[in-house]
Amino acid sequence: MVIYFSKINLESTELLKMYQEKSLDDMKKKLMNFFESGVVYEVEDSFKSNAGELHFIKTKYRLFTGIKTDEYVSGTIYKTTVLYYKKLNTNTGKIEPGSIPTIEDIKFYFDVNKEIVGFHTRQRFGYREFNRAFAGLINMCMEKNGSQMRFSASLYNEGMEIKELERELKSIGNIKRLEFNFKLPNPSDDKMLDKLKNGLTDTAKMMKEANAHIVSVIFDSDGNVGLNIDSCEIRDNIERVAHLTKGVSDVDAIKNGYARVIATGKNGKRYTTEDCKPIKRETISESSEEFFSACKDTISNIFRKHPK
């Protein structure tokens, strides 16, 4: 079994106040207190059949918590939906549509203080869908308790320097669309928090003045040549990754999801820094004991390599 890890980030301009007041611990306590079993997050998707019929699919994610302490919570997310398929009518010799209800389960281990969740995946329940579901469930818990705080989840990775990012972008060639996403950092240690409190760089100041917690910059090209990665505007945004704010390096910005770059080539190839070099851990069995132990050890090792 392969275990992935994702970073949980608060999506709010209130982070700017939290830097000064050092009230991030209060936010984490509320998150832990509100995170409870029985909450359901529901999404609706649609698709067209070969006959041109529009079908709507409702998917529900139900949260069940197990062990819960002041530092972490473990549990399971159950995904229930309907799977559409084709079948052969042996009497008529024609292909007919069919559907069947399905259920998938994923175990998780959420270290609230470190703001990292460990989880495995299923064939029909991948890491992107888990991130959407986990953030959705957290936000449902917040809403249920009258809190306006909202969170997002992004795959935790090894990060990269902007020199490597430039090489990756140039290797794609003929980029049609290039998107930069920047968000206010959620510091998980006092060292980073102190640096944020003592001063913000231009990007963070711009977000503060605009009262924005997320900034996106998109470059589009409809020509045959593609975007010029060496242009001043694009290079300025690449540099932003390394200078998002004090206390956050380019490596930290990418690994924690504070900066994300998405590139789409003319051939449809999609590249994103979030999916690059994800932190993973393999286990021999799917036992809960081995899973939780692997999650706890991996998260501890992550922060042991980056001491406060």
Side-chain angles (χ1 to χ4, degrees), residues 42-54:
E42 182 177 317
V43 296
E44 185 175 74
D45 296 312
S46 63
F47 75 96
K48 277 189 177 182
S49 66
N50 293 337
E53 297 177 341
L54 186 62

Side-chain angles (χ1 to χ4, degrees), residues 247-261:
V248 181
S249 67
D250 43 8
V251 174
D252 288 332
I254 289 175
K255 75 164 55 174
N256 288 287
Y258 307 149
R260 183 175 65 165
V261 182

Side-chain angles (χ1 to χ4, degrees), residues 69-81:
T69 70
D70 292 337
E71 298 179 351
Y72 71 88
V73 57
S74 64
T76 306
I77 295 177
Y78 293 96
K79 169 191 172 182
T80 56
T81 189

Side-chain angles (χ1 to χ4, degrees), residues 135-152:
L137 286 166
I138 291 178
N139 292 334
M140 290 299 294
C141 291
M142 295 296 106
E143 184 177 340
K144 182 181 177 181
N145 287 274
S147 172
Q148 294 184 356
M149 290 191 296
R150 296 295 180 267
F151 296 81
S152 64

Side-chain angles (χ1 to χ4, degrees), residues 113-148:
N113 288 332
K114 302 293 192 300
E115 301 171 341
I116 294 180
V117 57
F119 60 96
H120 61 88
T121 59
R122 298 294 186 190
Q123 185 176 1
R124 297 190 184 92
F125 199 172
Y127 62 79
R128 289 192 185 92
E129 186 177 5
F130 174 86
N131 283 339
R132 180 177 70 167
F134 196 74
L137 286 166
I138 291 178
N139 292 334
M140 290 299 294
C141 291
M142 295 296 106
E143 184 177 340
K144 182 181 177 181
N145 287 274
S147 172
Q148 294 184 356

Side-chain angles (χ1 to χ4, degrees), residues 38-301:
V39 174
V40 177
Y41 172 62
E42 182 177 317
V43 296
E44 185 175 74
D45 296 312
S46 63
F47 75 96
K48 277 189 177 182
S49 66
N50 293 337
E53 297 177 341
L54 186 62
H55 295 272
F56 292 93
I57 306 174
K58 285 186 178 182
T59 302
K60 293 183 179 181
Y61 305 94
R62 186 176 295 272
L63 172 65
F64 281 91
T65 58
I67 301 174
K68 189 174 183 180
T69 70
D70 292 337
E71 298 179 351
Y72 71 88
V73 57
S74 64
T76 306
I77 295 177
Y78 293 96
K79 169 191 172 182
T80 56
T81 189
V82 174
L83 177 64
Y84 285 86
Y85 62 93
K86 297 177 182 178
K87 60 182 179 180
L88 175 65
N89 186 322
T90 55
N91 295 323
T92 64
K94 294 182 179 181
I95 300 295
E96 297 177 350
S99 64
I100 185 173
T102 64
I103 184 168
E104 303 279 355
D105 66 304
I106 286 183
K107 292 191 290 287
F108 68 85
Y109 173 95
F110 182 25
D111 188 321
V112 179
N113 288 332
K114 302 293 192 300
E115 301 171 341
I116 294 180
V117 57
F119 60 96
H120 61 88
T121 59
R122 298 294 186 190
Q123 185 176 1
R124 297 190 184 92
F125 199 172
Y127 62 79
R128 289 192 185 92
E129 186 177 5
F130 174 86
N131 283 339
R132 180 177 70 167
F134 196 74
L137 286 166
I138 291 178
N139 292 334
M140 290 299 294
C141 291
M142 295 296 106
E143 184 177 340
K144 182 181 177 181
N145 287 274
S147 172
Q148 294 184 356
M149 290 191 296
R150 296 295 180 267
F151 296 81
S152 64
S154 59
L155 196 64
Y156 195 79
N157 56 60
E158 295 178 14
M160 66 173 66
E161 296 179 346
I162 58 173
K163 289 182 179 179
E164 183 180 355
L165 173 59
E166 289 175 353
R167 290 196 299 268
E168 291 285 347
L169 293 176
K170 289 181 179 180
S171 70
I172 297 173
N174 232 5
I175 295 177
K176 179 182 179 181
R177 181 183 174 91
L178 184 60
E179 181 176 348
F180 295 87
N181 295 320
F182 304 99
K183 63 176 63 176
L184 292 173
N186 280 224
S188 54
D189 60 65
D190 291 336
K191 183 178 179 181
M192 183 185 293
L193 183 59
D194 286 339
K195 290 183 178 180
L196 290 172
K197 183 179 179 180
N198 292 331
L200 303 175
T201 55
D202 290 343
T203 301
K205 285 180 180 178
M206 178 266 290
M207 296 169 73
K208 180 179 181 181
E209 291 173 0
N211 195 33
H213 64 273
I214 296 177
V215 171
S216 295
V217 181
I218 300 174
F219 297 89
D220 260 319
S221 171
D222 59 359
N224 295 323
V225 179
L227 295 168
N228 179 10
I229 302 301
D230 291 321
S231 68
C232 291
E233 287 296 328
I234 290 180
R235 288 198 59 81
D236 284 347
N237 280 280
I238 292 176
E239 288 292 332
R240 274 186 176 182
V241 175
H243 303 94
L244 178 60
T245 190
K246 289 184 179 179
V248 181
S249 67
D250 43 8
V251 174
D252 288 332
I254 289 175
K255 75 164 55 174
N256 288 287
Y258 307 149
R260 183 175 65 165
V261 182
I262 306 168
T264 306
K266 291 284 186 181
N267 59 0
K269 180 182 178 182
R270 187 176 184 271
Y271 166 85
T272 171
T273 50
E274 183 179 349
D275 295 342
C276 190
K277 299 185 293 185
I279 300 293
K280 295 186 288 186
R281 173 77 177 267
E282 292 190 28
T283 60
I284 297 175
S285 72
E286 290 194 16
S287 70
S288 297
E289 183 177 353
E290 184 175 358
F291 169 77
F292 297 137
S293 177
C295 288
K296 188 174 183 179
D297 289 346
T298 303
I299 294 173
S300 296
N301 287 335

